[in-house]
Structure formats: C-alpha cells, structure tokens
Amino acid sequence: PSTSETNSWMNSLQAVARALHDLRPADIGVAVSDGKADGAGPLRLASQPATGWGHPDVGVVSEYHLPLSLKRIDLMLCGRGQDQQDRAMILELKQWSKVTLENEFTHNVMVDGQERLHPSEQAASYADWLTDYHETFVVGDVVAAPCAWLHNMKRADAGDLMDARFGDLLSKSPLYLGDDTSNLAASVSAGIGHGGGNDVLGRIVASKFRPSKHVLANLEAVIASKESWKLLGEQRVAYNAILAEMQRLLKKKGRSVILVRGGPGTGKSVIAVQLLADALRMWLIAAHVTGGKAFTTGLRASFKGADKLFQWNMNMRTAPFQGLDLLVVDEAHRVRSTSDNRWKIGRASCRERV
C-alpha cells in the first residue's frame, strides 16, 4: 500500500478505537489476510476470544475484499444486537473535513475539487453487494448494516451531506460526524454489542461468493424477455453438449477446462450467459468474466439486478483460490497474457483463472 493509504488506515482506525474505547470488549477477533498487505488470499482469525472475560465480544474485519471485486470495506464490526439479530456493521471511514454540492440536482459531492460518492451511499452499496452475493448474508443468517463516519468533520460543516435529498439514504445508511461519537458508540452497542462477535466473524470469513435467488431471478427475467439471449437451433445443440460435459466433469476430482470455438456472431456469448444461469439454478457457485472491459460494462447494463455476476478479467486477481464451481470465460481471445499492472506483477492469466 502507498504511504498515504497507510496513513489513512492509521488515522481512521485510531479514531475508531478512541470513539469506541468505553465499549472495547475484552475479547476481539480480528480477521487478517495471511500477512499480505494487499489483502489478497484467504482470511483467517488472528486471535480467538480469551476465556473468562465475559461478553460482549466483537469481531473486527479491516479492509475486507468483496469476493470477485476490487472493492474493499474499510471496517466491519460483527456481533449480535440488542434484538438478538446477528449483524455486520459496514463502516465507511473518511477523513474529509469539508464537502460541497455542485448544484441542487447532483447526488455526488465535491471534495477538494473532485466528484465523490456520498460516503453513506458507498457503505450502502457494499451492504447491498453482501446481501446479494455473499453466502452468509444471502441465507439471512447475518444482516449487513451500513453506516459512515467522517471523524474529522463537525456537524456545523456537514450541511450538504445532510441535505434533504439524502433523506432516504441516511435512513438506511446513517452518517456520523466527529462530534457524533456518542451516537456512533450507542449505535455500535445496540447493533452488535451483545456477544457472538467471533462466531459471526468466523461465518463471514469462511463463506463464499454465492448469488442470491433474487439475483438469479433478475438474470432469468432478462434472458426470458429478450430474444437476443435465447438459444436457437445449432446454439441449443452446442449448449446441450457443453452442459452435459460440464456435469460430467463436475463429478471428477480436480479442475477441468472446456474450450468452445466458434466464429463471430455464432452465439458463444448467448451460450455463456445461459450456462451461467443454469449453473446458478443448479446451486453451483458461478460467475462470468470477459477479457474486454467494454463488453463487461455492456453486459452489466443489460443484466441490471444481476450485474455483479459479470466481471472483468482483471477483477479475478483477488478471487479466492478455487472459490467457484464454474467460471465462464467469454471473449477469451481478449484475456491478457498476464495480470500485471503498475502496482503488482501478476501470474499468467489463464493459469490464474484455472
């Protein structure tokens, strides 16, 4: 991580520690990423709850990578609420001290001359992602509760962030400020401060990417409503052969690859999307990736409500090892030879996908 990013972590996490000092549990389970600074790799519990200290225990996850995404959650606080509901509080941390709105219509905010997402909306989008695509949240065992904290900003300077246009957003994803620490602490106490933290944390870090039935319904609705996504003639023959081979290979141990060849316009992408839908219907953990970012963007626009099933090839760098039953690689000729970027030297892309 860069120096500025490291300083941001230190400043924000110290602010959280100070704000919650009076609520600090005797036993805290912290999720770390096998010592890797970039957060890649499987999460594990770094500490187990101490015995004899009593409750509440709180599970803490810092910089949690959303599976099959390049996005990270600043901080998750896990535990059982006063209402006995298991929760993960999604806490978006910002060091902003001044924010403005460009006009009466915009919903983005201006920070140091740059257009940024409202921090409560950022937290809410992460919570929605978990609810739709993370196994523990999909089955309803744990509820994602988003909020944001701007620990350097006073309420007197936050008028634009609290504007009436954000009323619905703030009711779903509350915003806390530097002089709101008592309200933040009370919310944490009520929401996750009644035990079970390490248990909730353990279930989250052990779970996988798994789209919800709601996401599958959205995917199938688009396929059913648009002729362009329906299999016709020889496409159906090819699809049946691919599906049968996939089912045969799933019964074998180890990993396998099925190569599908066809000229432009023959329907390979139609087959790929239908295969994705049927695999999810079979309760397999599956995702679709392409080698072209523009193509991925187009697919996401076509399949709103199921858009996170469609990933750009480079997003797979942070995917959990063997975290999927099926990975459908479309536009394979556009896949880069390696996953290198300016920050990190990657592996051969094809090997990484397998």
Side-chain angles (χ1 to χ4, degrees):
S2 65
T3 301
S4 61
E5 189 174 16
T6 301
N7 289 338
S8 177
W9 291 341
M10 292 179 63
N11 293 336
S12 292
L13 293 178
Q14 286 177 3
V16 171
R18 287 194 296 270
L20 304 181
H21 181 270
D22 290 341
L23 302 172
R24 185 177 58 198
D27 48 330
I28 295 179
V30 181
V32 299
S33 180
D34 284 349
K36 298 178 182 178
D38 65 355
L43 288 169
R44 57 184 172 81
L45 290 183
S47 62
Q48 297 296 331
T51 58
W53 289 89
H55 288 300
D57 67 286
V58 174
V60 181
V61 187
S62 178
E63 294 295 316
Y64 178 67
H65 264 116
L66 294 175
L68 303 193
S69 166
L70 298 181
K71 302 298 183 182
R72 293 179 298 181
I73 296 173
D74 286 342
L75 193 66
M76 274 202 300
L77 303 177
C78 309
R80 189 163 296 124
Q82 195 170 18
D83 57 0
Q84 297 303 300
Q85 171 66 60
D86 290 348
R87 285 188 184 83
M89 290 190 70
I90 313 302
L91 191 58
E92 178 64 25
L93 304 172
K94 299 293 186 189
Q95 299 188 72
W96 303 346
S97 56
K98 185 178 180 181
V99 169
T100 59
L101 287 169
E102 194 169 18
N103 55 52
E104 61 183 299
F105 306 105
T106 184
H107 278 72
N108 291 332
V109 299
M110 300 298 294
V111 181
D112 296 330
Q114 293 186 325
E115 197 169 3
R116 306 290 290 272
L117 194 64
H118 193 294
S120 289
E121 186 171 359
Q122 190 172 347
S125 69
Y126 294 156
D128 289 343
W129 199 105
L130 291 170
T131 301
D132 282 340
Y133 295 97
H134 189 293
E135 188 174 40
T136 301
F137 298 87
V138 164
V139 299
D141 287 348
V142 179
V143 171
C147 63
W149 189 36
L150 279 64
H151 49 88
N152 288 338
M153 184 178 292
K154 304 298 183 184
R155 183 162 291 275
D157 301 318
D160 285 345
L161 286 172
M162 308 296 288
D163 188 82
R165 75 191 74 179
F166 300 121
D168 290 343
L169 171 65
L170 294 174
S171 66
K172 174 184 178 181
S173 180
L175 176 69
Y176 301 99
L177 302 161
D179 45 6
D180 269 347
T181 54
S182 60
N183 290 332
L184 174 64
S187 179
V188 171
S189 177
I192 54 96
H194 293 262
N198 280 274
D199 172 62
V200 175
L201 173 61
R203 280 183 277 153
I204 291 173
V205 300
S207 294
K208 298 179 179 180
F209 172 87
R210 184 180 291 281
S212 67
K213 292 181 179 179
H214 170 72
V215 170
L216 177 56
N218 288 333
L219 177 66
E220 291 181 326
V222 175
I223 294 174
S225 65
K226 295 188 177 182
E227 292 294 329
S228 58
W229 291 111
K230 293 181 180 178
L231 296 170
L232 300 172
E234 292 181 349
Q235 294 173 356
R236 173 62 68 178
V237 174
Y239 172 78
N240 288 343
I242 295 166
L243 180 63
E245 182 65 7
M246 181 197 79
Q247 291 174 316
R248 184 185 71 83
L249 291 173
L250 284 171
K251 294 184 179 297
K252 294 176 57 180
K253 290 184 178 181
R255 291 159 285 173
S256 303
V257 176
I258 300 174
L259 297 178
V260 180
R261 297 179 61 182
T266 54
K268 297 185 300 298
S269 294
V270 177
I271 290 173
V273 170
Q274 186 65 60
L275 188 65
L276 173 67
D278 283 347
L280 293 170
R281 194 182 296 112
M282 295 161 60
W283 207 234
L284 297 176
I285 302 174
H288 178 289
V289 300
T290 76
K293 196 169 187 178
F295 185 44
T296 302
T297 301
L299 285 170
R300 287 184 165 184
S302 297
F303 291 94
K304 291 180 179 178
D307 52 301
K308 303 302 188 299
L309 293 172
F310 299 92
Q311 296 289 328
W312 181 39
N313 172 59
M314 296 299 284
N315 285 7
M316 301 304 295
R317 288 170 297 175
T318 59
F321 179 66
Q322 295 187 20
L324 297 171
D325 299 314
L326 175 68
L327 180 65
V328 181
V329 183
D330 205 350
E331 294 276 294
H333 63 285
R334 298 185 185 276
V335 173
R336 299 182 184 184
S337 57
T338 71
S339 59
D340 293 358
N341 60 28
R342 59 178 174 163
W343 298 285
K344 178 181 176 182
I345 298 176
R347 299 177 294 171
S349 289
C350 289
R351 182 177 295 276
E352 200 168 51
R353 301 303 156 264
V354 176

